[in-house]
């Protein structure tokens, strides 16, 4: 097995194991919720999952860098940088809503791109994954974005930023332009799964602003490898450190890009 494939397999194993940690803590009496901002929660289970993922990646790949949402960071000279969201969908988790995931994206500095991505939904037992140039998978079966070209029949997903109470740049303008034009809009609360649902053809498109690299690294690769067009709001290819993303099949992408950029 080559190095890249070994990394991919390891990321899949880790996501499944971290998913067990999430399930064990879900709706449990020991759940402790605190707040990083007015509406931005974190739980003891986010931290337990991150401690586990960080420890396992460090043990196996001491030369790799890691950027994890709840604070674990390590810079190494090696080519690979792991972006880890130990629990994507914490608001759902904290409210007992069964829609959240573990998201792991592996970025290659020399290639300047995400090369492996894994998103695991432990409530449904669904493992989404992709490696660069190798296609996208749900539980080992290939997946493709929807063929929809008709906005009025399209189900699209989005999210709203945690600073929506203090910032006018809170997606309401984009939302109000897009909502009347599509079949409907969903706000499910896990950016990583939103991108995977585009990859699997469940959602026809997804857009969001003010996302972080750990939210989207894995999902952008999975949506792209499933045949989606994944860009910033100016139509140029997505960049995980730029906090905005639009993912869709190519025809819908063009139409939505126009709506996103319209003043
Ligand atoms: C959040 C979720 C949500 C998205 C936010 C993210 P978290 O991640 O992905 O769907 O709208 O932008 O921050 O805080 O649950 O890991
Ligand atoms: Ca997240
Ligand atoms: Ca998180």
């Amino acid at each position: 097995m080559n190095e890249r494939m070994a990394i991919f397999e390891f990321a899949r194993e880790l996501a499944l194991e971290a998913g067990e940690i999430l399930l064990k803590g879900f709706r449990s009496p020991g759940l402790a919720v605190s707040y990083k901002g007015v509406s931005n929660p974190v739980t003891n289970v986010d931290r337990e999952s991150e401690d586990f993922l960080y420890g396992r990646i460090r043990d196996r790949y001491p030369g790799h860098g890691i950027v994890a949402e709840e604070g674990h960071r390590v810079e190494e000279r090696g080519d690979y940088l792991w972006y880890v969201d130990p629990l994507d969908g914490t608001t759902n988790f904290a409210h007992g809503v069964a829609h959240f995931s573990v998201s792991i994206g592996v970025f290659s500095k020399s290639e300047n791109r995400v090369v492996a991505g894994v998103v695991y939904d432990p409530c449904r037992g669904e493992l989404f994954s992709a490696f660069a140039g190798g296609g996208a998978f749900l539980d080992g079966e290939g997946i493709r974005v929807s063929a929809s070209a008709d906005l009025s029949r399209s189900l699209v997903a989005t999210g709203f930023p945690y600073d929506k109470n203090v910032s006018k740049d809170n997606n309401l303008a984009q939302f109000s332009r897009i909502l009347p034009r599509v079949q409907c809009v969903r706000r499910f609360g896990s950016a990583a799964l939103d991108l995977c649902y585009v990859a699997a053809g469940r959602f026809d498109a997804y857009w969001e602003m003010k996302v972080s690299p750990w939210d989207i690294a894995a999902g952008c690769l999975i949506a792209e490898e499933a045949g989606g067009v994944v860009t910033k709001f100016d139509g140029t290819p997505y960049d995980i450190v730029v906090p905005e993303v639009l993912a869709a099949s190519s025809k819908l992408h063009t139409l939505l890009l126009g709506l996103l950029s319209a003043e």
Side-chain angles (χ1 to χ4, degrees), residues 14 107 109 200:
L14 289 185
F107 182 84
K109 294 184 225 164

Side-chain angles (χ1 to χ4, degrees), residues 155-188:
L155 186 61
V156 309
T158 191
F160 297 94
Y162 283 122
D163 68 355
K164 63 191 181 327
N165 52 324
V166 289
S167 170
K168 287 202 169 127
D169 196 15
N170 59 7
N171 199 26
L172 279 183
Q174 292 83 350
F175 180 73
S176 61
R177 284 199 295 270
I178 290 173
L179 178 66
R181 302 289 304 276
V182 295
Q183 184 181 12
C184 212
V185 178
R186 295 287 179 261
R187 197 291 188 244
F188 276 11

Side-chain angles (χ1 to χ4, degrees), residues 69 85 87-90 162 191-192 212 214-215:
E69 178 175 11
D85 194 334
L87 198 182
D88 186 51
T90 300
Y162 283 122
S212 298
W214 46 80
D215 298 317

